[in-house]
Amino acid sequence: MTTQAKFVPIQGSHRSAREGSRLIGPVHPEEHIEVTVRLRPRAGITAKARSEATNPLSHKNRRCLTQEEYTANHGASPEDIAKVAAFAQEHGLAVVHTSAARRSMWLAGSVDQLSEAFGFQLAEYDHIDGGSSRGRTGPVMIPAELEG
């Protein structure tokens, strides 16, 4: 990725540390992790059409779509899949699986690779209740050309 690329936060991705948690430190940078990237539905599909496609009551008088028809009408576009795949490759991430119908791509890489690609740092936390977890604070960032 070029250093001039503008990054923007993914709406709704901001996280804060859990109340009562204590930061232990960063997750090991070489640890292998996987993330799921959700893609937008194809352009031109209205919210009403998406709602009707998933509303069981609206199916009474129409035929069911085949998997191929559903993917073509409601799945992720090949263009969006290609953009995210190129983004992953630029950051050394592997595309583990892609589902146009689920509008999802599974990416894998090291903690460092994913942190650099998405602009966050994973950390280990202890909790008052005795548990522990890994998490991040702040938003997930993406290049502006992937916004939406």
Side-chain angles (χ1 to χ4, degrees):
M1 172 108 354
T2 65
T3 57
Q4 296 183 14
K6 180 183 175 200
F7 281 77
V8 295
I10 295 176
Q11 185 177 359
S13 68
H14 189 276
R15 298 288 179 266
S16 299
R18 181 175 149 188
E19 191 172 325
S21 64
R22 180 182 63 85
L23 177 65
I24 298 171
V27 173
H28 192 283
E30 303 282 325
E31 186 174 336
H32 178 86
I33 58 174
E34 293 186 11
V35 297
T36 303
V37 176
R38 294 280 297 160
L39 304 169
R40 64 183 169 193
R42 287 181 188 264
I45 303 297
T46 65
K48 181 180 178 195
R50 277 193 301 278
S51 175
E52 288 175 355
T54 58
N55 181 351
L57 299 177
S58 68
H59 291 291
K60 290 181 181 177
N61 296 316
R62 26 174 231 212
R63 70 174 184 85
C64 293
L65 296 176
T66 65
Q67 180 70 33
E68 293 77 19
E69 290 170 325
Y70 181 85
T71 300
N73 292 327
H74 303 283
S77 73
E79 295 82 12
D80 284 352
I81 291 170
K83 285 180 185 178
V84 174
F87 166 78
Q89 184 177 13
E90 286 177 24
H91 293 281
L93 302 173
V95 177
V96 176
H97 183 71
T98 300
S99 174
R102 291 182 180 168
R103 299 188 334 263
S104 298
M105 293 178 74
W106 290 262
L107 308 180
S110 70
V111 167
D112 260 2
Q113 289 170 314
L114 283 154
S115 294
E116 190 271 328
F118 292 103
F120 62 76
Q121 296 297 316
L122 284 179
E124 303 266 355
Y125 293 89
D126 270 338
H127 305 290
I128 290 175
D129 63 9
S132 64
S133 66
R134 291 186 290 182
R136 61 174 175 79
T137 58
V140 173
M141 305 293 285
I142 57 171
E145 63 266 18
L146 294 180
E147 188 173 21

